[in-house]
Amino acid sequence: MTQNAFTDMVAGDFYTTNFAKDAKDGSLILNLGPQHPSTHGVLRVIVELDGEYVLRAEPVLGYLHRMHEKMAEIKTAAQYIPNMGRVDYGHAIGWNWAFVGAVEKLAGIEVPERAEYVRVVTCELNRLASHLLWWGAYLLDLGAFTPIMYAFDDREKILDILQRPTGSRLTYSYFRVGGVAQDLDDEAIRLIREFIPWMRSRLPMYKDLVSDNIILRRRIEGVGAIEPECCQRYGATGPVLRGSGVGYDVRRIDPYSVYPKLDFEIPTSNLKDARGRYDVRIAEFEQSLRIIEQCLDMMPEGEVLVKGAPKPSWKAPKGESYFAVEGARGKIGVHLVSDGGKNLYRCKLRAPGYCNLSLFAEVSKGTILADAVAILGSLDLIIPEIDR
């Protein structure tokens, strides 16, 4: 289809029309999404193709925008916590933590030690569930149906565990300013201790079934190489950055909670491609299990919520704070500004997926369309986080 014919056909579409103005004559402009399975939500990517090769790619956001930051201005700090479970449904507890951590830093609230251990345990379990969701869905994008069944089987065990203290299975609102809503009971701890060896026993099967499978290797090895300098320019973090050989992890670089007391490694890969990002996430399974196991052994007795914890009507003191945690997709940051009034004056959310997606246009250029899908999936995008 020529540029003029395509422009006339989509004259009402601002994004596609402007994109088509610079299109090469004889090229094909294709919409990937916003309801395409490989976009995992309502992400839209406009691509210009020369045959099967990507000449340009441009992500188009805004189809899922819900004004989370604006909603912070009409809610008290305690009332805003449920919003955090809906920014990133994959690792909702990570977002819980980033927000309450910023409020606690602003107000000078010290969290009970047991609550810190409970936070780490639940956050790492949620990280495992998030990586399993990515693993199964990514392989489905690449044409493999069976692995997602195994992934959801194991993920279901985690959700059964997290449901006990949180009351939820996806959009958690479990953390409170000053601790957590409920302690881990004996049954939850028993289930966690049973899950750890179970999950470890599954990892060799994952390796044999998928990681060493020649079909997967041909789809992701040498595809979508991202240099560390590129990651730095776009602010990419998490497995995307570590998959390019940079061992940046907030839990080590800017340690918080009880992470400094724990023995775990930060997996990296020098492959820099989709395979490298895949390997990093698979290696993080074992590291999260190590962290959880240590926390259960070291967890002290005590309260899980500070006495006199802020109520829904509580006013945050005047000032500003910033708190960051390591989410499943990278660095989650929350910057709060309070003027001492009933509601927060400003809440700025730093979503790792937004930065990670930003480099896609550069990395996908010159690849074939099938490889562009493999690159997109290797970034582990959660669209509600990007379109917050």
Side-chain angles (χ1 to χ4, degrees), residues 183-202:
D183 199 357
L184 293 175
D185 60 15
D186 292 340
E187 179 64 12
I189 292 175
R190 183 187 68 81
L191 291 171
I192 296 170
R193 288 196 180 277
E194 289 179 355
F195 172 76
I196 293 171
W198 164 265
M199 192 67 228
R200 282 189 173 134
S201 72
R202 303 282 274 185

Side-chain angles (χ1 to χ4, degrees), residues 19-45:
F19 191 83
K21 288 178 181 178
D22 299 321
K24 177 183 174 183
D25 192 31
S27 64
L28 171 68
I29 296 178
L30 180 71
N31 278 294
L32 188 66
Q35 276 82 35
H36 192 279
S38 72
T39 62
H40 297 280
V42 282
L43 170 67
R44 176 187 178 194
V45 182

Side-chain angles (χ1 to χ4, degrees), residues 228 231-232 236-248 268-269 277 356:
C231 292
Q232 186 178 27
T237 53
V240 173
L241 178 60
R242 294 192 288 274
S244 293
V246 181
Y248 182 94
T268 60
S269 172
R277 297 185 283 279
N356 295 345

Side-chain angles (χ1 to χ4, degrees), residues 66-355:
R66 290 158 301 153
M67 304 182 69
H68 279 298
E69 292 180 2
K70 189 65 179 177
M71 280 192 271
E73 299 173 18
I74 60 169
K75 295 185 178 184
T76 66
Q79 289 173 337
Y80 189 64
I81 293 173
N83 281 71
M84 293 294 93
R86 288 148 180 84
V87 177
D88 173 4
Y89 57 80
H91 197 199
I93 288 182
W95 280 90
N96 276 205
W97 201 341
F99 177 73
V100 300
V103 176
E104 289 159 0
K105 190 174 182 179
L106 177 65
I109 295 173
E110 187 172 345
V111 179
E113 188 178 14
R114 182 176 176 87
E116 294 285 17
Y117 281 93
V118 172
R119 284 181 172 186
V120 172
V121 169
T122 53
C123 189
E124 294 302 323
L125 282 171
N126 198 196
R127 189 189 312 278
L128 285 168
S130 179
H131 281 355
L132 284 168
L133 177 65
W134 163 80
W135 185 75
Y138 184 42
L139 296 165
L140 193 62
D141 289 346
L142 299 179
F145 183 80
T146 302
I148 198 170
M149 298 300 181
Y150 289 105
F152 271 65
D153 183 24
D154 293 338
R155 183 171 173 268
E156 199 71 12
K157 296 181 186 301
I158 299 174
L159 302 189
D160 288 342
I161 294 169
L162 288 176
Q163 185 175 359
R164 292 190 65 84
T166 68
S168 302
R169 297 177 68 85
L170 188 68
T171 53
Y172 302 102
S173 302
Y174 176 54
F175 283 24
R176 296 290 183 272
V177 178
V180 294
Q182 188 170 307
D183 199 357
L184 293 175
D185 60 15
D186 292 340
E187 179 64 12
I189 292 175
R190 183 187 68 81
L191 291 171
I192 296 170
R193 288 196 180 277
E194 289 179 355
F195 172 76
I196 293 171
W198 164 265
M199 192 67 228
R200 282 189 173 134
S201 72
R202 303 282 274 185
L203 297 180
M205 183 268 289
Y206 283 6
K207 184 176 185 296
D208 293 339
L209 177 69
V210 178
S211 300
D212 291 343
N213 190 299
I214 190 62
I215 300 174
L216 175 71
R217 292 179 58 189
R218 292 289 175 84
R219 287 301 309 273
I220 65 176
E221 290 181 359
V223 172
I226 305 174
E227 294 297 328
E229 180 272 335
C230 180
C231 292
Q232 186 178 27
R233 278 191 287 113
Y234 289 98
T237 53
V240 173
L241 178 60
R242 294 192 288 274
S244 293
V246 181
Y248 182 94
D249 189 303
V250 181
R251 294 171 295 180
R252 284 288 189 238
I253 301 298
D254 188 13
Y256 53 97
S257 188
V258 296
Y259 280 110
K261 300 179 182 180
L262 306 175
D263 178 27
F264 64 99
E265 299 169 6
I266 306 300
T268 60
S269 172
N270 290 320
L271 295 176
K272 304 177 184 178
D273 56 8
R275 177 71 200 212
R277 297 185 283 279
Y278 175 96
D279 288 345
V280 165
R281 293 189 183 95
I282 293 298
E284 287 185 0
F285 279 104
E286 173 57 30
Q287 299 310 313
S288 288
L289 292 173
R290 282 178 63 183
I291 291 170
I292 295 166
E293 199 168 40
Q294 291 174 69
C295 285
L296 293 181
D297 293 338
M298 298 166 61
M299 190 181 298
E301 296 296 328
E303 299 296 324
V304 294
L305 188 63
V306 69
K307 292 183 179 178
K311 303 295 183 184
S313 60
W314 177 78
K315 297 179 181 180
K318 186 176 181 179
E320 64 179 294
S321 66
Y322 177 80
F323 190 78
V325 303
E326 184 66 32
R329 270 148 286 284
K331 185 177 183 178
I332 301 171
V334 175
H335 180 204
L336 298 181
V337 179
S338 172
D339 58 5
K342 177 183 177 182
N343 305 324
L344 295 169
Y345 176 77
R346 182 75 171 93
C347 175
K348 173 61 181 175
L349 307 178
R350 196 272 179 196
Y354 182 83
C355 298

